[in-house]
Amino acid sequence: MTPLIVVKKVAQYMADVLEDSRDKVQENLLANGVDLVTYITRFQWDMAKYPIKQSLKNISEIVSKQVTQIDNDLKSRASAYNNLKGNLQNLERKNAGSLLTRSLADIVKKDDFVLDSEYLITLLVVVPKTSYPEWQKVYETLAEMVVPRSSNLLFEDHDSGLFSVTLFRKAMDDFKHKARENKFTVREFQYNEEEMKADKEEMTRLSTDKKKQFGPLVRWLKVNFSEAFIAWIHIKALRVFVESVLRYGLPVNFQAMLLQPNKKNMKKLREVLNDIYKHLDSSAAAIIDSAMDIPGLNLSQQEYYPYVYYKIDCNLLDFKP
């Protein structure tokens, strides 16, 4: 797992976790407490983390082990948080939407039902608003043994109303059939206080757990984004050093520079740099792809110029906040 991939994964997950506050993502993507461009322009090799007395292979392994651990931790934490978030969203969806699909537990009350009756049952029927007059006109005759004047409007949304109606149990199937024919929808619902209480408690618990996990998760993402980004920039510095030694030999006699041109000036900059440094490598007169790689660093192919060049792109998100 390359440092850049882990950096981008942590940054993108930060955006996912912040949800509606995505405009605040960039201010949370810092390296050593400063913005990314500032960190890069003030870059100094971290001797404590990556001792330069170690071999190239050892430094590479230190970085690889570090970013692999961050990636593994991210997978574990993201899985736990996503499961919690998904379960909460499922419950929230049940309590939203149209009367045809949403949970009715937070709408109805015990007094709306005839309970504990051997013969009578209360049904809940969704009626389009345009059909209210028709419902009031026909509901008592949709089946035999409907209790007269037993229908009450319990709740309305934009399109429909939820009506209760009481009838004898043995007429229930006939009533449902006739209701469908008249485009009235009988909701399958049984009033159960214990189940309704359990659902509400579960939603409260999930919401509380999500809030509890949010803060520590964001803090972890901030810390480990910084760690992964710093590791990535160290690899960049290492690549510049190693590539320069391989191409220009010893003793070391080169200077690394950071350039941040505007897009419209990129072509001109390439021409100027090529004119200045073309004497270093005549084979780079025509730009070619370099297949050069350094064992242990998993380096990908780069554009080839007479000078050593690596791109650092600080736009790490799939969207612009």
Side-chain angles (χ1 to χ4, degrees):
M1 185 66 66
T2 65
L4 177 56
I5 291 175
V6 175
V7 167
K8 286 188 171 183
K9 284 172 71 173
V10 176
Q12 192 59 51
Y13 194 62
M14 172 83 79
D16 295 342
V17 169
L18 290 178
E19 297 181 44
D20 296 335
S21 301
R22 284 189 168 206
D23 57 326
K24 300 191 186 310
V25 175
Q26 211 64 52
E27 66 190 58
N28 285 289
L29 298 180
L30 305 175
N32 260 3
V34 298
D35 67 84
L36 306 185
V37 172
T38 299
Y39 174 79
I40 294 168
T41 53
R42 298 177 183 174
F43 173 77
Q44 289 186 320
W45 188 270
D46 190 327
M47 299 290 188
K49 282 184 180 176
Y50 313 110
I52 56 175
K53 291 183 179 180
Q54 299 263 11
S55 68
L56 172 62
K57 182 180 178 183
N58 284 352
I59 294 175
S60 168
E61 287 175 351
I62 290 170
V63 173
S64 177
K65 186 176 180 181
Q66 181 185 12
V67 296
T68 298
Q69 185 62 53
I70 291 173
D71 186 53
N72 289 338
D73 288 350
L74 175 63
K75 289 176 184 175
S76 174
R77 290 169 185 268
S79 176
Y81 188 77
N82 289 348
N83 285 338
L84 177 61
K85 181 177 169 183
N87 291 337
L88 180 58
Q89 286 174 337
N90 287 337
L91 280 180
E92 287 173 342
R93 275 195 291 269
K94 285 183 180 180
N95 289 294
S98 77
L99 284 170
L100 294 170
T101 56
R102 65 169 293 174
S103 170
L104 304 178
D106 60 336
I107 293 175
V108 298
K109 303 186 295 294
K110 186 175 182 179
D111 294 344
D112 297 326
F113 295 83
V114 174
L115 299 172
D116 304 320
S117 171
E118 184 179 350
Y119 301 106
L120 295 175
I121 186 170
T122 299
L123 299 180
L124 300 178
V125 185
V126 179
V127 179
K129 282 187 173 180
T130 54
S131 300
Y132 281 9
E134 182 68 13
W135 167 257
Q136 294 294 352
K137 180 180 175 182
V138 305
Y139 82 85
E140 293 180 1
T141 60
L142 288 177
E144 293 183 353
M145 294 183 279
V146 175
V147 177
R149 296 184 296 281
S150 63
S151 179
N152 293 299
L153 177 61
L154 306 181
F155 186 84
E156 286 183 302
D157 63 14
H158 294 300
D159 305 309
S160 308
L162 183 71
F163 287 82
S164 63
V165 60
T166 301
L167 59 149
F168 279 76
R169 288 181 181 274
K170 63 182 181 179
M172 182 171 61
D173 291 340
D174 190 33
F175 182 90
K176 288 181 178 180
H177 176 70
K178 292 290 177 54
R180 279 197 301 272
E181 288 183 349
N182 285 269
K183 296 184 170 52
F184 306 138
T185 304
V186 178
R187 288 289 308 267
E188 296 297 329
F189 181 84
Q190 285 188 329
Y191 187 87
N192 186 312
E193 280 187 308
E194 290 185 2
E195 287 184 9
M196 291 162 62
K197 182 182 178 183
D199 283 348
K200 289 178 181 178
E201 287 176 348
E202 177 68 1
M203 179 171 283
T204 301
R205 183 188 68 79
L206 290 173
S207 181
T208 301
D209 286 352
K210 184 186 174 189
K211 289 175 183 176
K212 282 182 180 178
Q213 290 191 25
F214 177 81
L217 179 58
V218 170
R219 285 193 291 275
W220 184 91
L221 289 168
K222 288 172 69 172
V223 168
N224 285 276
F225 172 83
S226 176
E227 292 296 307
F229 186 86
I230 289 169
W232 177 47
I233 299 303
H234 276 76
I235 284 292
K236 286 285 188 184
L238 202 60
R239 292 175 72 172
V240 170
F241 176 83
V242 173
E243 178 77 358
S244 299
V245 170
L246 289 174
R247 287 175 64 173
Y248 309 125
L250 294 171
V252 172
N253 182 22
F254 60 84
Q255 176 65 52
M257 301 291 292
L258 282 167
L259 298 175
Q260 190 179 17
N262 296 324
K263 280 189 177 181
K264 62 181 181 180
N265 294 330
M266 283 288 290
K267 186 177 179 183
K268 180 65 177 175
L269 176 62
R270 288 286 185 210
E271 292 171 354
V272 171
L273 290 174
N274 195 58
D275 285 341
I276 295 173
Y277 299 112
K278 60 185 177 182
H279 66 282
L280 294 175
D281 191 342
S282 58
S283 66
I287 297 175
I288 59 173
D289 287 334
S290 172
M292 195 174 296
D293 208 348
I294 302 173
L297 283 182
N298 191 27
L299 305 186
S300 60
Q301 293 187 351
Q302 295 283 330
E303 293 174 296
Y304 190 77
Y305 302 97
Y307 48 88
V308 174
Y309 159 76
Y310 290 107
K311 181 180 179 182
I312 298 176
D313 188 355
C314 290
N315 182 19
L316 302 167
L317 300 168
D318 294 337
F319 68 97
K320 293 182 179 180

